[in-house]
Amino acid sequence: MGMDLSYLEALMGGVAAEPTTSESAGGVWVVGVEGRLDDGLLRLVGKARVLADALGAYVYLLTNGSDREAAESTIRAGADQVLLAQGSPTLTDLVSFFEPRQPEVILFPRTRVGRILGAGLAQRLDGGLCGHAADLEVDPIYRRIVAHQPVLDDAARQRMTILAAPAMAIVDTAALPAAFNEPWRSGAVADAGADWVPAAEPRPITWPQPAVTLANAAVVVAGGRGLKTVEGFALARQLAQALGGVAGGDLTALDAGWIAEEELIGLTGARIAPKLLLALGLDGDTSLFMSIQDAGLIVAVQPDPAAPIVAAADYNIHADPADFARALLERLSRA
Amino acid sequence: MRIVVCMKQVYDPATTRISRSREEFDLRGAVKITNTPDKHALEAALRLRAAVGGEVIALSLGDAEADDVCREAIAMGADRALLISGPEVIGVTGRAVARALTAGVRYLDAVDLVLTGQVGLTDGTGSLAPRLAAELGWEVCLDAVRLAPMTDGQIEVTVACSPGVGEIVCLALPAVISVATGSERPRYAHPARIANAWAPGLVEVCSCTRLGLDAAALTADVEVGGLILPPERTRGQTIVGPTETAADELVGLLRTKRIL
Amino acid sequence: MDFTIPKSHQLFRKMVREFATQEIAPRTRQVDRQGWPDMELVHKLGEHGLLGIPFPQEYGGAGLGELGYCILMEEVGAVCTSTAAIIGAHIGIGVMAIYLGGNAEQKRRFLPDLCAGKKLAAFCLTEPNAGSDAAAIQTRAVRDGDRWILSGSKIYITNGPIADVLTVLAVTDPALGARGGVTAFIVEKGMPGLSVGTIEHKLGIRGSATSEIILDEVAVPSANVIGQVGAGFITFMQTLDTGRLGLGAACLGGATTALDMMCRYAAGRMQFGRPLADKQAIQWLIADTATEIEALRALVYRTAWMVDTHQPFTREAAICKLFGSEVASRAINRALQVHGALGYSCAFPLERMWRDARIAEIFEGTNEIQRIVIAEQAMRPYGVRVRP
Ligand SMILES: Cc1cc2nc3c(=O)[nH]c(=O)nc-3n(C[C@H](O)[C@H](O)[C@H](O)COP(=O)(O)OP(=O)(O)OC[C@H]3O[C@@H](n4cnc5c(N)ncnc54)[C@H](O)[C@@H]3O)c2cc1C
């Protein structure tokens, strides 16, 4: 297989011609073989486009989730060539598909199928893999892909330079920027020439989940004195429900009889560590602050700019908590 | 049934800090623990053994300290352990880990099922199970919450798609399955088993060479670089404007932070 | 010299800590409020092998020795003094009396069920007229063929109302008294004449059950005599030695929790524009507590090592109990002070810890009695015989 010098053309300012055959070596490949073409896959195509531009390479999308018409959206999102396949590939199918093509980069979305096929393919092709990438860039000096892998629950991201070829990554598409939609882009749609067996339909099942508690909730809506009435506090409960979280309150809410003892947040109640704490009409005191130390994002709605919570919250909204809760509820129900 | 459970030692995320100035992990106070998701896999294996009989073997790869992981697995109920260790395995990356563990599974011989945890804490990606399956040429399934052996050499796996919602799939054995953390809570090690876990003969230590792996098989597929840190937290910011626009802005903010 | 705790015991500590945080801590407040043990928890302790930690595996124990027992008591004491008292009365003195004084047949007969928590033990020494003066017991045992008839009353018996196996000290020969006239018996629940009397309402450790035990002509087979007839006093005193060490370990746990709470609150509470921890008055409370805890830790684990290596440890156990109970009380009292009104509030755990801590200065021999034991050992080389 000869060397792919097409990127030189791109580097020199020329517009690379569309690839004519799917056999051309190299290229940045996106594999979306779950029978659908969703926004995540389009974002991934966009990321592939950015990498391909830096490498001077083409973007190929191998998918079984599209017809010729729908494939246009992937071209607007950055694909140079869309290869349409039928059925669902096994790992062996993908190995035989990619072995002769010698791709430079292969990206999979971080779905269950993507994780299985991506990691399996990397192992079979002797490639290098970042199994969980939130972003990708090109190291132009060594012409290598550098993946950004979330660590410590995404408290930071670790640079992972992919050494072995092909450079592969399983990408959390939700972390990527919005998909391109550029009508001026052109690309080709071709048949992948792959004859895969349809996947078996899985049997769905549900099972009861333990109730979410204050201590383990991802979202907590906490209310206090500023909600004024029991009806006002009910808004906190509604918001908690709308956000898929649980409601709680401080001592003032407990004293007012708005919450049960188990719903108290504080040193004499629950310690919480949600991703989002929405504090409605809470003033904040030592007991509260010490119990919300591990909260991710704190948003406080509090008319008094001098309230102690203002300095502890990431974002403050100086409004009447009940009014704001109503406005937010209305927007959430619309979405 | 002979079940192998892959178990690794990790830095406890609760004790692992990040140095902003050096853009790397600060491991000075970090404590090494058995990767808790792997204990879920062990629990699943022990339940399978209770149901159909057989043997549960913990398989680990790491430095000499990884012996602790093997002992803990034995204290929890594993029959024995194989530790792949030696200077050549220090710092190996995903591809080589899968190759070495595959060699370990082959060495253990006549294995019906390999279980792994869902993901390594601190800096894992959850790609071991599919890598192993690819190396072994076995079937694979991820995020299992329940395993039910069937009579015809298959195993019925309940897979979690989101909390409380999933699907049932059947795999032919031998297979590799990653067990989700939403599965049964790992049991406490029994004190008497703890007392006996350091008895001789329970943990076999094996070098890669003995497993037939050369240096080429263990070359790195990736190189770990520095950390990229999010901007430092700034508290006390204000979203200005009337209630309506502030609500709009908050919805936008929650969208970008991926909370909505 | 090597202070390393063996790997097995390090893993055991992890296991107990996990168990204590997940199973015991969530019930601590409830058992205190209801004034009664959570029997489901007691069964869980047994199910997970925690009620036989120091005893050899041949008798159903974990074989983790006194070191294991101290680790257990420290970790449980860190989250719930009531539960530590239940375990202490069971392992530390109740079963221990059979283990130290009993013959092989008795150990085979009783220990497996006791270690597995299928049965719970109590240790019955104290009587209305015999507290610190244990030799003054009046419970009588009279031989009747190959059985003994026991009559009398024991008071303040931890686990009394929930125990299945009671080790009871009774007078078999009033003429000889403590020197050969006192015998230890294994009394089993269901034996006619054995009953639970008054249930105590206590200042603290309300989550443990304490009661009177009434023996009304209870016929006990000779096979249930622990060791030799007449050797009971020695067995009971030896048993209390190990019990005291475990009590010291539980105090270590309680003190450590108090220090942790103190530091956390001092860091979080702002007054005069700065965290409390900025004030030297608070720092000194923290420093003194940390120092005492460190000394206690060294003391407890060295004594455990002495027990496991079969050295005499009566004096050291008394020191552990004396120092431990005082360190814990001081630490918790200081933590309460640092928390101000919050510490005094019933909504916060410190008031319970404060009430609970007090017991360690009283039971298993009051601190005055410990001082007597220690002084006695100190004065012996000088030819002075210290008497209580
Ligand atoms: C909650 C609880 C649980 C208990 N559990 C058990 C149990 O499981 N089994 C059991 O057998 N007992 C148990 N006890 C009893 C306990 O061991 C006794 O209370 C203790 O030994 C003291 O005896 P006393 O209460 O009769 O006090 P006393 O002996 O009357 O002493 C009263 C005070 O005088 C002091 N004093 C006594 N003699 C002297 C002296 N010579 N010199 C200086 N000061 C002295 C004491 O230190 C004490 O301060 C328990 C007690 C309590 C409160």
Side-chain angles (χ1 to χ4, degrees):
Chain A
M1 194 71 59
M3 205 175 163
D4 178 12
L5 295 174
S6 55
Y7 70 94
L8 285 178
E9 200 183 313
L11 284 179
M12 291 185 303
V15 175
E18 283 159 24
T20 45
T21 74
S22 56
E23 303 294 324
S24 42
V28 178
W29 286 76
V30 173
V31 183
V33 287
E34 283 167 86
R36 59 170 191 272
L37 195 73
D38 55 16
D39 187 55
L41 203 56
L42 294 181
R43 288 167 187 245
L44 190 54
V45 168
K47 182 50 69 178
R49 178 76 266 156
V50 174
L51 298 178
D53 285 348
L55 293 166
Y58 295 119
V59 172
Y60 300 92
L61 170 66
L62 173 62
T63 181
N64 62 358
S66 175
D67 52 26
R68 280 181 180 270
E69 235 160 277
E72 292 302 318
S73 67
T74 69
I75 290 170
R76 290 198 298 276
D80 292 309
Q81 189 173 88
V82 187
L83 293 163
L84 301 178
Q86 308 300 322
S88 296
T90 62
L91 177 56
T92 317
D93 291 334
L94 281 190
V95 173
S96 20
F97 181 87
F98 279 110
E99 248 169 0
R101 288 180 168 82
Q102 301 211 347
E104 181 169 10
V105 179
I106 312 178
L107 307 177
F108 283 80
R110 205 173 141 75
T111 57
R112 183 170 305 112
V113 170
R115 282 156 62 206
I116 292 179
L117 292 177
L121 189 64
Q123 205 69 25
R124 288 281 177 84
L125 297 180
D126 276 352
L129 172 77
C130 173
H132 182 184
D135 200 0
L136 299 145
E137 58 179 319
V138 170
D139 170 356
I141 298 176
Y142 294 103
R143 195 182 168 92
R144 276 179 182 149
I145 299 295
V146 180
H148 299 181
Q149 183 199 315
V151 292
L152 285 176
D153 205 12
D154 213 6
R157 288 173 181 172
Q158 182 138 44
R159 281 196 189 83
M160 260 317 157
T161 304
I162 302 174
L163 304 176
M168 299 182 55
I170 301 172
V171 187
D172 177 3
T173 55
L176 297 177
F180 299 126
N181 184 7
E182 298 171 329
W184 50 265
R185 287 194 179 278
S186 65
V189 181
D191 186 52
D195 192 15
W196 299 327
V197 180
E201 279 293 309
R203 254 192 300 155
I205 179 174
T206 58
W207 57 90
Q209 276 300 107
V212 183
T213 63
L214 269 182
N216 64 18
V219 174
V220 171
V221 181
R225 201 201 318 268
L227 285 169
K228 292 182 190 136
T229 60
V230 68
E231 291 77 27
F233 191 84
L235 292 165
R237 293 190 191 281
Q238 288 173 40
L239 262 181
Q241 188 154 29
L243 290 164
V246 293
D250 65 358
L251 272 175
T252 64
L254 183 68
D255 292 343
W258 299 340
I259 57 167
E261 224 179 283
E262 308 80 64
E263 293 176 304
L264 176 66
I265 301 166
L267 288 175
T268 54
R271 196 183 160 87
I272 61 170
K275 284 195 179 357
L276 167 69
L277 168 63
L278 182 57
L280 300 175
L282 284 176
D283 293 342
D285 57 16
T286 303
S287 171
L288 184 86
F289 294 145
M290 287 185 66
S291 307
I292 62 171
Q293 276 167 347
D294 299 327
L297 181 71
I298 304 175
V299 178
V301 185
Q302 160 66 263
D304 175 11
I309 190 137
V310 171
D314 299 273
Y315 293 96
N316 289 280
I317 294 159
H318 298 304
D320 177 73
D323 286 348
F324 183 83
R326 273 185 220 99
L328 187 57
L329 265 174
E330 195 246 328
R331 274 156 187 78
L332 291 176
S333 65
R334 252 194 280 142
Chain B
M1 196 188 285
R2 179 170 284 179
I3 309 166
V4 167
V5 185
C6 299
M7 304 190 68
K8 78 163 167 178
Q9 195 169 43
V10 294
Y11 285 108
D12 181 355
T15 59
T16 306
R17 308 260 170 277
I18 287 170
S19 161
R20 279 206 160 259
S21 56
R22 286 182 287 128
E23 297 187 341
E24 58 185 34
F25 286 119
D26 178 354
L27 297 173
R28 277 172 300 180
V31 176
K32 285 181 176 177
I33 57 167
T34 303
N35 189 39
T36 36
D38 299 347
K39 292 196 199 175
H40 283 266
L42 178 59
E43 179 62 37
L46 296 174
R47 278 165 191 260
L48 269 179
R49 186 185 62 184
V52 299
E55 193 186 18
V56 172
I57 307 166
L59 173 60
S60 192
L61 176 140
D63 56 18
E65 277 183 73
D67 180 66
D68 291 358
V69 172
C70 299
R71 305 293 173 179
E72 187 169 3
I74 289 165
M76 284 175 68
D79 297 285
R80 59 191 172 104
L82 175 65
L83 170 60
I84 304 173
S85 198
E88 68 280 5
V89 306
I90 308 299
V92 286
T93 57
R95 184 175 67 179
V97 169
R99 285 176 182 159
L101 291 177
T102 297
V105 171
R106 295 224 166 92
Y107 172 82
L108 287 169
D109 198 35
V111 172
D112 300 291
L113 184 61
V114 174
L115 299 183
T116 76
Q118 190 165 30
V119 70
L121 296 176
T122 303
D123 62 354
T125 65
S127 9
L128 177 63
R131 281 181 187 274
L132 278 177
E135 284 287 325
L136 289 160
W138 294 359
E139 289 210 34
V140 61
C141 173
L142 304 187
D143 312 338
V145 289
R146 211 178 73 88
L147 305 177
M150 301 195 298
T151 43
D152 53 353
Q154 295 205 14
I155 187 159
E156 189 187 82
V157 187
T158 308
V159 165
C161 300
S162 57
V165 182
E167 49 197 47
I168 296 180
V169 292
C170 286
L171 294 188
L173 296 177
V176 183
I177 298 174
S178 87
V179 177
T181 40
S183 62
E184 299 288 347
R185 199 171 85 177
R187 64 195 59 191
Y188 299 108
H190 193 281
R193 289 196 67 98
I194 292 176
N196 299 341
W198 275 261
L202 291 172
V203 179
E204 184 182 353
V205 184
C206 210
S207 70
C208 283
T209 333
R210 242 188 80 205
L211 293 174
L213 288 165
D214 54 12
L218 298 176
T219 48
D221 65 323
V222 293
E223 183 181 64
V224 177
L227 294 179
I228 305 162
L229 300 170
E232 204 138 18
R233 193 165 177 172
T234 40
R235 296 187 194 252
Q237 304 171 71
T238 310
I239 297 178
V240 285
T243 303
E244 300 293 314
T245 49
D248 284 331
E249 209 171 311
L250 179 58
V251 170
L253 181 75
L254 297 183
R255 286 235 162 82
T256 44
K257 303 252 177 200
R258 293 170 64 193
I259 291 166
L260 278 183
Chain C
M1 192 153 63
D2 183 0
F3 286 102
T4 326
I5 291 193
K7 287 268 189 187
S8 51
H9 288 75
Q10 290 180 29
L11 180 59
F12 176 58
R13 186 186 289 282
K14 263 206 254 176
M15 178 262 161
V16 196
R17 186 168 295 178
E18 213 177 297
F19 185 91
T21 3
Q22 290 178 11
E23 315 290 340
I24 305 177
R27 309 180 201 225
T28 304
R29 181 170 176 159
Q30 178 57 22
V31 292
D32 177 63
R33 287 195 174 180
Q34 73 190 22
W36 199 253
D38 181 332
M39 290 314 289
E40 197 192 71
L41 174 61
V42 175
H43 292 137
K44 263 198 175 170
L45 289 167
E47 221 177 278
H48 289 94
L50 294 172
L51 292 179
I53 292 306
F55 306 114
Q57 294 188 358
E58 55 173 318
Y59 299 125
L64 287 166
E66 197 62 19
L67 175 57
Y69 178 57
C70 285
I71 289 170
L72 171 70
M73 289 298 271
E74 182 189 345
E75 294 299 331
V76 175
V79 301
C80 181
T81 315
S82 290
T83 308
I86 295 172
I87 298 174
H90 172 83
I91 296 182
I93 46 181
V95 187
M96 191 60 79
I98 305 177
Y99 176 66
L100 291 179
N103 57 38
E105 195 272 329
Q106 286 166 336
K107 290 185 218 178
R108 268 197 301 275
R109 192 149 64 99
F110 290 102
L111 259 57
D113 278 358
L114 288 165
C115 289
K118 289 184 190 141
K119 290 187 174 155
L120 202 66
F123 176 86
C124 309
L125 172 61
T126 307
E127 295 183 7
N129 292 310
S132 301
D133 185 7
I137 55 163
Q138 292 166 329
T139 295
R140 271 289 271 149
V142 181
R143 195 192 286 269
D144 174 27
D146 66 349
R147 52 186 208 160
W148 293 81
I149 309 297
L150 271 65
S151 294
S153 145
K154 298 285 177 180
I155 55 169
Y156 293 113
I157 303 306
T158 305
N159 292 350
I162 55 175
D164 310 276
V165 174
L166 302 95
T167 46
V168 176
L169 198 65
V171 180
T172 41
D173 186 345
L176 291 176
R179 292 166 168 271
V182 171
T183 304
F185 294 88
I186 304 169
V187 178
E188 295 168 70
K189 186 175 165 181
M191 287 182 169
L194 174 71
S195 63
V196 174
T198 315
I199 308 260
E200 291 301 330
H201 295 277
K202 311 183 289 286
L203 172 71
I205 56 165
R206 292 182 179 169
S208 69
T210 317
S211 76
E212 180 186 11
I213 290 292
I214 299 165
L215 299 141
D216 182 10
E217 307 212 328
V218 182
V220 180
S222 296
N224 281 20
V225 170
I226 300 178
Q228 301 292 310
V229 173
F233 199 75
I234 295 172
T235 299
F236 263 48
M237 290 305 119
Q238 281 178 346
T239 302
L240 282 173
D241 284 346
T242 43
R244 283 167 188 162
L245 170 53
L247 185 52
C251 291
L252 172 60
T256 309
T257 300
L259 176 62
D260 175 51
M261 293 172 80
M262 205 188 297
C263 294
R264 197 185 292 272
Y265 194 73
R269 174 67 170 170
M270 305 286 285
Q271 284 296 281
F272 302 98
R274 304 286 309 151
L276 285 184
D278 260 23
K279 308 293 165 212
Q280 205 171 52
I282 304 291
Q283 292 165 7
W284 287 19
L285 292 179
I286 290 169
D288 288 350
T289 309
T291 305
E292 291 175 13
I293 286 175
E294 218 43 56
L296 178 58
R297 185 178 305 283
L299 195 53
V300 163
Y301 287 103
R302 202 221 12 179
T303 309
W305 166 79
M306 292 172 73
V307 178
D308 286 336
T309 49
H310 314 292
Q311 303 175 52
F313 64 94
T314 300
R315 174 175 162 272
E316 286 72 14
I319 294 176
C320 283
K321 194 270 182 188
L322 169 65
F323 187 60
S325 59
E326 294 189 358
V327 165
S329 288
R330 272 199 296 273
I332 292 164
N333 199 39
R334 286 176 190 142
L336 195 150
Q337 191 68 18
V338 169
H339 282 73
L342 180 64
Y344 199 69
S345 162
C346 284
F348 199 66
L350 268 170
E351 65 83 29
R352 174 186 44 74
M353 291 168 62
W354 191 82
R355 287 185 285 111
D356 284 352
R358 198 62 180 78
I359 186 58
E361 298 177 51
I362 297 170
F363 68 3
E364 301 203 19
T366 63
N367 281 8
E368 288 73 20
I369 296 302
Q370 305 311 317
R371 288 188 161 90
I372 293 168
V373 172
I374 298 161
E376 200 239 335
Q377 300 256 343
M379 292 310 295
R380 207 177 265 177
Y382 301 92
V384 178
R385 177 136 160 63
V386 172
R387 286 163 213 276

